[in-house]
Amino acid sequence: FYRGRPAFLVLSGPSLADLDLGQLTRRGIVTMGVNNSWAVHRPTMWTCVDSAGRFIDTGWKDPGILKFAPMSLWNDRLRIQRPGGTMAPSAFRVRQMPSVLLYRRSEKFDPERFLDEDVVCWGNHTSVTDSLGIKGKRSVMLTALRLLQYLGFRTVYLIGADFRMTPERGYAFDEERSAEAVRHNNVLYESLNQRFESLRPHFERHRFRVMICTEVSGLTAFPHMPFAEAVAKAGAECGKPVDTKGWYSS
């Protein structure tokens, strides 16, 4: 569907707030957000793996965002935030939202099959150990990369990929995390680094390239490219000046 085109994968690391995200509105640029990163940047597409009520309901209701959700969430109820910050169940469910496509997910990571199986892998079930010796560990980032590759994108630029979390700076948006949650995420980043290293030769075989556009990142499995350079490359094909005269003449 997006044969050969580039995309930006918008993750939720705190560095996302330091970028000029207005650059991503240029003609020719496609973005995929995950989780609540859509509170910082309104993406072209979006995906999640956790329950629907964890994610801001205005994103779910936005028909201009093409949303990819696990089939198991189709009947999940959204949540709303009342004045004062308290949360409450929404009257709406995922199946009632516009622009939603569903995918089947798996919980058995195998780098040999990751790009070829007919399901979308998001890591391992907590009781499963993969060929790298990693037990459990699941992430929406695995899902997003698999979906982007399946849709035909051949270059993915990662932004907000800090791969380091502290209680003081957890996300690009306002959200608190406990010390245990911070520890869990930092361990997850280490596991993802190993998994992405194992996936690199398979990505190369499929001519699927991933670049890190986060200036300081704990993710080491992929090469780095400055954000400005990635924007220039992604927008180059549709960035030429437009002259409207002559298009209607025969």
Side-chain angles (χ1 to χ4, degrees):
F1 198 78
Y2 290 97
R3 182 185 298 273
R5 296 303 191 266
F8 283 83
L9 178 53
V10 184
L11 304 169
S12 301
S15 66
L16 186 65
D18 300 330
L19 296 177
D20 177 10
L21 298 176
Q23 296 295 313
L24 300 180
T25 62
R26 289 190 188 186
R27 211 180 277 272
I29 291 182
V30 177
T31 59
M32 174 176 272
V34 302
N35 299 348
N36 278 327
S37 70
W38 60 10
V40 182
H41 170 76
R42 182 178 182 249
T44 315
M45 298 177 288
W46 174 89
T47 192
C48 70
V49 289
D50 294 331
S51 59
R54 292 176 63 89
F55 309 117
I56 297 167
D57 62 314
T58 51
W60 282 111
K61 295 170 183 175
D62 188 340
I65 301 174
L66 181 60
K67 296 166 279 286
F68 295 85
M71 284 185 175
S72 59
L73 299 189
W74 81 283
N75 202 39
D76 254 27
R77 192 179 292 277
L78 277 55
R79 285 197 301 170
I80 58 172
Q81 191 173 47
R82 290 173 171 160
T86 60
M87 310 299 292
S90 169
F92 297 104
R93 300 177 185 270
V94 170
R95 57 182 167 80
Q96 297 170 293
M97 294 298 100
S99 308
V100 174
L101 297 177
L102 302 174
Y103 66 86
R104 291 191 303 129
R105 64 184 178 186
S106 73
E107 295 182 307
K108 190 173 182 181
F109 177 79
D110 180 353
E112 301 288 334
R113 302 180 62 236
F114 183 78
L115 293 180
D116 297 313
E117 56 188 348
D118 61 355
V119 289
V120 178
C121 179
W122 64 311
N124 285 350
H125 186 273
T126 53
S127 64
V128 175
T129 301
D130 61 27
S131 60
L132 304 175
I134 299 171
K135 186 176 182 180
K137 306 293 185 299
R138 298 175 296 195
S139 171
V140 69
M141 190 174 173
L142 287 166
T143 292
L145 286 173
R146 176 65 180 107
L147 287 170
L148 289 169
Q149 187 271 340
Y150 179 78
L151 289 167
F153 293 102
R154 286 299 169 261
T155 303
V156 176
Y157 302 114
L158 304 177
I159 57 176
D162 295 55
F163 267 55
R164 294 188 183 92
M165 180 177 280
T166 66
E168 296 76 28
R169 289 199 83 194
Y171 299 104
F173 44 82
D174 186 24
E175 181 61 284
E176 295 180 356
R177 298 260 70 185
S178 67
E180 177 56 27
V182 169
R183 187 199 67 80
H184 169 82
N185 279 321
N186 285 325
V187 171
L188 174 61
Y189 297 147
E190 294 175 9
S191 298
L192 283 174
N193 247 325
Q194 294 180 57
R195 284 182 174 156
F196 288 139
E197 285 285 358
S198 73
L199 285 169
R200 276 187 69 172
H202 303 286
F203 284 4
E204 291 169 4
R205 180 165 57 86
H206 284 78
R207 298 181 181 178
F208 182 61
R209 187 172 65 144
V210 180
M211 309 292 290
I212 306 169
C213 299
T214 302
E215 284 303 314
V216 180
S217 175
L219 178 56
T220 58
F222 303 118
H224 177 265
M225 178 182 286
F227 176 65
E229 182 179 342
V231 168
K233 284 181 176 292
E237 190 171 28
C238 298
K240 65 182 181 181
V242 174
D243 183 352
T244 59
K245 289 184 179 180
W247 290 94
Y248 289 170
S249 64
S250 58

